[in-house]
Amino acid sequence: MSTSILQVRDLHVEFNGVKAADGVSLDINEGEFLAVIGPNGSGKTTLLNLCTGYVRPKSGSIHLDGRAITGLTPRAITRRGVARAFQIPQLFSDQSVLDNMMLALAAKDGLWTMVRPLAQPARREEATALLDLVGLRDDKNRVSRTLPEGHRKLLDIAVALALKPRLLLLDEPTSGVSTLERFSLMEALMSALRSRNITALFVEHDMDVVARYANRVLVWNAGTVMAQGHPDEVFKDERVLKNVVGVA
Amino acid sequence: MRAILLIGAIFAIVVAPMAAPWLQFVLTMAIAKGLAALGVAVLLRAGMISIGHAMFFAASAYGVAFLARGGVSDFGLLLVLSVAITGLAGAVVGAFLIRYRAIFFAMLNLAVSMVFYALFAKLYGVTGGTDGMTIPVPTMFGIVLSEPTFKAILFYGSVALMVVVGLAVHRYLDSPLGHALSAVHTNEVRLEYLGVPVWAVLLVAYIVSAVLAGLGGAIAGFAIGRVVPDFAFWTASGHLVLVAVLGGIGGVPGAFIGAFFLELLHTEAAAFTDAWNLIVGAALIGVIMFLPKGLYGLLTRSEVSAK
Amino acid sequence: MNAIIPLVLDTLSSAALIFFAAVGLTLVFNVLRVLNVAHGSFYSIGAYVAASICAFIVSRHLNPYLSFVALLFSAALVAVVLGPLIESTLIRWTYGKSEAVQILITFGLFLILEDLQRMVFGVQSFYEDTPMRLMGSSSIGGVVYLNYQMFLVAMAVIVVFGLRLLIKHSRLGRLVTAVVADREMAQSIGVDTNKIFILAFSLGVFLAALGGALAVPTSGVAPGLGADTMVLAFAVAAIGGLGQIEGAALAALIVALARVLAIYFVPSLDAVAPYAAMLIVLLVRPYGLFGAITTRRI
């Protein structure tokens, strides 16, 4: 029995009367790779917004390692070891790829020096190693705005990894990444997660990726958890097939 | 190459008043305004435009005048104390203003600066109203100086200060904190998700910018020997914005190059026109429309997240 | 009671003028999504033009009632000359650009307009109170007040309801609403957005210039009026919530009350009172009474 890192209990939130989360409870267990699937517009991103404090729930609670984080800011939650990669990459678009990475590393080690330059040799090396991992080594001196969408996505994930999180939340990591690169990205990501003991939750719509990599699947529909379990079982569920897999 | 050019330029500034003595005052003022514009440029890194920074320029000059009236006569002490007071004022004003971005930030800076201006101009009994206050020639290490000697020392001291402060600001902008400041402009959301307290990054920048404007204001006060409410007037803030925008491409040296250019132009233009604000306004629009590189990253829109 | 009546009347008439300064700013922001830093200049230009025309009427011994026409005419003149010119050259260039660029461009315009006024109208103050004297005074409960003050309040009320009527119930208003809601969508169904923007901007200029013109009989015009008005207008727009017309009306009342109370009880703080009101409101509600915070989608 593995321990639960993140516990979500009975979350409710609504926007303009639409219930984006309607009594959601879920657990993320230490070391697992949990996939969240569901139709477009069902509020999967809202789940990540709630878990990271970008959106505050109307009611319900979220605990990280048994301590309440409900109502904390994204900043405070990030500092407690939760990192996030976004569906739309959130980068410092005027800065180079390497600077994006180094700033993330600096944010983790301590930003509070006005005197020593950002580009410390050790930091540069660590950033380059992470870029290597996601296959962006050749792009490291480019301004991140000029990267193709798929590469921006990879950089966004690398930035999240640079924070050395315990829990990583990924929002459609393979969207915008070409089908050819999709599995090599996932292989690299999985090995990074394993070697660093990172637990991860990922929102995904590519069912092949889910089937191959997820330990557990959570099916999200209309603001509630419709089903959850091992991918093989979930994909046999008639309702899931009809509502989610068919339309996704 | 760049370093050689800069050293050459500084050498030229140092020797210029020997050939043309009238330049000593003009160049001292250019350095003073360059320091203040550098303060505005620091905030510009974060995409934040202060159209009220002349308030810190004025506050520091008034600080010197009040301290001198209160009996402090040493140059170094006057400078350090008044700049420290200005930094404190920057912390108080900044703590309120850094919640805002874009237009709110710009306009609230303007509003606060107009309160400063109104107070300086209206509190006649304390500040001398529109007549302002005199700033006497200070002593240095207990030595009483003649005015020409002091003005020469002030000039060379300002050049030295420009170099030292310029290097320090360059260092700051290249540090993680400086990079985080630029990151505020492009993506605050990501910055929050790196666990970075954006307010603290901005408050440090705001205090730095107020201190820089304060240094400039103190030097200007000493150079002129008087401080008047017009130091804080919004058109003065406008000039600082223009210099900062002009210098956009050049980083730290850019602010000073812009200041020297504008101060010399002002001196020349004053001979045949008094429509100086019109020229400044037209130049500001011209730079933005036709010299986008002078604007650095501002012209590129901050990351828009469209789904 | 007799102490309250003048306070109420002063607050109302002062609120009317403050409202005129701010309503154009907030209207233009609402439609164009540009906060025009030069807005205060239109107020002072309106004041200068009105003062000049009224002075001309008086010096030629024309029918003094023409001065009322002159107030309206000068506002229209300023709007027709400056509105389309400035919108189509400078403001239009900034659409779709960052707010930083919009601030810098309109700030540059502000510097230019302020200097132009100094060159054209000089640095002396103008006073022209013919319209105010013509209207005479009345009294309520023994308190004598100027009818012109009530005229100002009536004008402001007309503008509030007129704008509401224009936006909610006219074809033009519906087009404007469509453009505000979704600029690209409006363009794609054939709305001439350029025309809408010119009209909206010119209407904003007109309202500001009218405010300036109406202020001439009570307070005259002097250099520096443009900058003071700009900051005051922003304070009002910010308190009300940027883009909210009714919000601006309520905010104008709050600011006017703060100012009148200051004049009655602590005259030295008169100039600072509006800002104090603004700071207090913004500390409690950072984006104004009716302003909404927009969160980014991520």
Side-chain angles (χ1 to χ4, degrees), chain B residues 17-159:
Chain B
M18 296 175 188
W22 62 272
L23 271 175
Q24 185 179 295
F25 175 74
V26 174
L27 293 178
T28 308
M29 286 304 290
I31 293 172
K33 288 183 185 167
L35 284 165
L38 188 57
V40 176
V42 164
L43 289 173
L44 219 51
R45 287 261 161 165
M48 294 163 76
I49 299 165
S50 166
I51 45 183
H53 249 55
M55 64 181 148
F56 298 118
F57 191 81
S60 177
Y62 273 103
V64 172
F66 278 117
L67 288 166
R69 186 195 276 173
V72 182
S73 68
D74 185 72
F75 173 68
L77 201 57
L78 283 170
L79 189 70
V80 170
L81 283 178
S82 70
V83 169
I85 292 166
T86 310
L88 205 63
V92 173
V93 175
F96 174 64
L97 293 186
I98 54 161
R99 293 204 287 175
Y100 296 96
R101 303 287 177 271
I103 192 67
F104 268 81
F105 181 78
M107 292 305 303
L108 289 173
N109 269 288
L110 177 62
V112 176
S113 81
M114 295 201 42
V115 172
F116 269 69
Y117 175 79
L119 290 177
F120 291 141
K122 293 232 166 117
L123 298 176
Y124 187 84
V126 191
T127 63
T130 47
D131 295 340
M133 297 170 75
T134 49
I135 294 175
V137 174
T139 60
M140 276 179 113
F141 309 111
I143 302 164
V144 178
L145 302 165
S146 74
E147 190 171 333
T149 316
F150 171 65
K151 294 288 159 78
I153 293 175
L154 181 67
F155 170 66
Y156 291 109
S158 302
V159 176

Side-chain angles (χ1 to χ4, degrees), chain C residues 19-31:
Chain C
F19 172 72
F20 275 112
V23 64
L25 183 74
T26 213
L27 174 81
V28 168
F29 179 82
N30 196 7
V31 180

Side-chain angles (χ1 to χ4, degrees), chain C residues 162-173:
Chain C
L163 281 178
R164 200 178 173 79
L165 215 63
L166 182 73
I167 290 167
K168 301 264 167 181
H169 300 286
S170 74
R171 191 182 124 74
L172 179 67

Side-chain angles (χ1 to χ4, degrees), chain B residues 49 96 99-100 102-104 107-108 114-115 122 234 238 241 274-278 281 288-289 298-299 301 305, chain C residues 35 93 96 98-101 103-104 107-108 110 115 118 227-228 231 234 242 275 278-279 282-283 286 297:
Chain B
I49 299 165
F96 174 64
R99 293 204 287 175
Y100 296 96
I103 192 67
F104 268 81
M107 292 305 303
L108 289 173
M114 295 201 42
V115 172
K122 293 232 166 117
W234 65 271
V241 172
D274 63 347
W276 180 240
N277 288 325
L278 193 147
I288 293 158
M289 282 186 155
L298 285 183
L299 271 180
R301 299 197 63 185
S305 54
Chain C
L35 193 116
W93 186 82
S98 75
E99 271 191 74
V101 169
I103 295 167
L104 292 171
F107 185 61
F110 190 25
D115 235 15
R118 190 176 51 81
D228 288 339
V231 178
F234 177 77
L242 271 183
Y275 307 118
M278 170 175 76
L279 294 184
L282 292 185
L283 276 175
R297 276 199 77 164

Side-chain angles (χ1 to χ4, degrees), chain A residues 216-229:
Chain A
R216 194 156 68 91
V217 179
L218 199 140
V219 185
W220 181 274
N221 194 17
T224 53
V225 177
M226 194 174 127
Q228 53 180 315

Side-chain angles (χ1 to χ4, degrees), chain A residues 38-241:
Chain A
N40 284 332
S42 61
K44 289 167 294 182
T45 298
T46 301
L47 176 65
L48 300 195
N49 285 344
L50 283 165
C51 291
T52 56
Y54 194 71
V55 168
R56 286 191 184 187
K58 205 172 89 182
S59 64
S61 69
I62 306 167
H63 285 79
L64 180 69
D65 295 322
R67 286 170 38 204
I69 56 167
T70 329
L72 293 186
T73 60
R75 174 174 78 238
I77 293 173
T78 303
R79 297 211 78 90
R80 280 162 203 235
V82 180
R84 177 173 179 186
F86 297 82
Q87 186 177 8
I88 307 149
Q90 299 290 326
L91 304 173
F92 305 125
S93 51
D94 289 345
Q95 302 189 22
S96 74
V97 169
L98 196 59
D99 280 353
N100 267 272
M101 290 302 296
M102 288 196 295
L103 194 49
L105 290 167
K108 178 70 186 172
D109 319 326
L111 199 61
W112 300 105
T113 168
M114 292 172 73
V115 187
R116 287 164 61 195
L118 176 67
Q120 303 289 323
R123 193 179 283 147
R124 184 188 293 269
E125 217 165 275
E126 199 179 347
T128 311
L130 274 166
L131 288 173
D132 240 357
L133 182 80
V134 294
L136 286 180
R137 170 169 273 234
D138 297 339
D139 287 328
K140 73 176 184 185
N141 292 318
R142 283 177 73 171
V143 176
S144 63
R145 180 172 4 103
T146 64
L147 291 180
E149 180 66 17
H151 288 196
R152 291 167 59 77
K153 199 93 194 183
L154 296 176
L155 177 56
D156 195 52
I157 294 170
V159 164
L161 283 172
L163 294 172
K164 305 178 187 75
R166 292 195 50 219
L167 174 62
L168 177 60
L169 308 174
L170 298 145
D171 201 345
E172 308 224 344
T174 67
S175 76
V177 178
S178 74
T179 330
L180 279 174
E181 290 170 335
R182 205 163 272 188
F183 287 96
S184 59
L185 163 67
M186 287 307 294
E187 288 298 334
L189 187 58
M190 291 307 291
S191 77
L193 295 178
R194 270 186 222 111
S195 65
R196 284 151 217 250
N197 290 321
I198 301 173
T199 305
L201 173 150
F202 73 124
V203 170
E204 184 56 73
H205 63 254
D206 184 324
M207 293 305 146
D208 294 333
V209 170
V210 174
R212 177 144 12 153
Y213 296 103
N215 312 114
R216 194 156 68 91
V217 179
L218 199 140
V219 185
W220 181 274
N221 194 17
T224 53
V225 177
M226 194 174 127
Q228 53 180 315
H230 192 270
D232 294 343
E233 298 159 28
V234 169
F235 286 137
K236 278 186 213 138
D237 189 324
E238 279 298 321
R239 289 182 311 151
V240 172
L241 285 174

